[in-house]
Amino acid sequence: MDVLYFAWLRERIGTPREQVETSARTVRDLIAELAARDDWHAAAFADLGAVRCALDQQLSELDAALDGVREVAFFPPMTGG
């Protein structure tokens, strides 16, 4: 699956995108796998209250299932103006 990172998540991890092989069942499980990879991923996901996600370009919750998902995007909360 493709994992995309935006804004400060991209800066902390050091890449805008990566291809991931995972057995994670939910977004939260995927985050745990990613955070265990290295210090950069761990720092990016240290505060889950500051992380939002989209599954195949649809906003989603962290407990959403990953069945059939091809793309997961992580980004900070959005503000309007």
Side-chain angles (χ1 to χ4, degrees):
M1 111 181 10
D2 286 324
V3 179
L4 311 177
Y5 305 104
F6 295 92
W8 56 261
L9 288 141
R10 177 181 60 228
E11 293 169 10
R12 288 184 186 170
I13 292 170
T15 187
R17 148 189 311 243
E18 60 185 325
Q19 188 77 20
V20 174
E21 293 288 329
T22 182
S23 59
R25 298 181 65 128
T26 67
V27 175
R28 196 174 298 275
D29 294 341
L30 176 61
I31 290 171
E33 285 183 13
L34 293 170
R37 284 182 160 194
D38 54 48
D39 291 341
W40 299 286
H41 285 83
F45 293 112
D47 179 8
L48 292 185
V51 175
R52 300 294 179 265
C53 73
L55 303 180
D56 292 331
Q57 301 182 8
Q58 297 291 318
L59 290 177
S60 186
E61 299 295 324
L62 297 182
D63 291 318
L66 292 174
D67 297 335
V69 172
R70 296 181 317 225
E71 178 186 273
V72 179
F74 292 108
F75 48 90
M78 297 173 275
T79 60

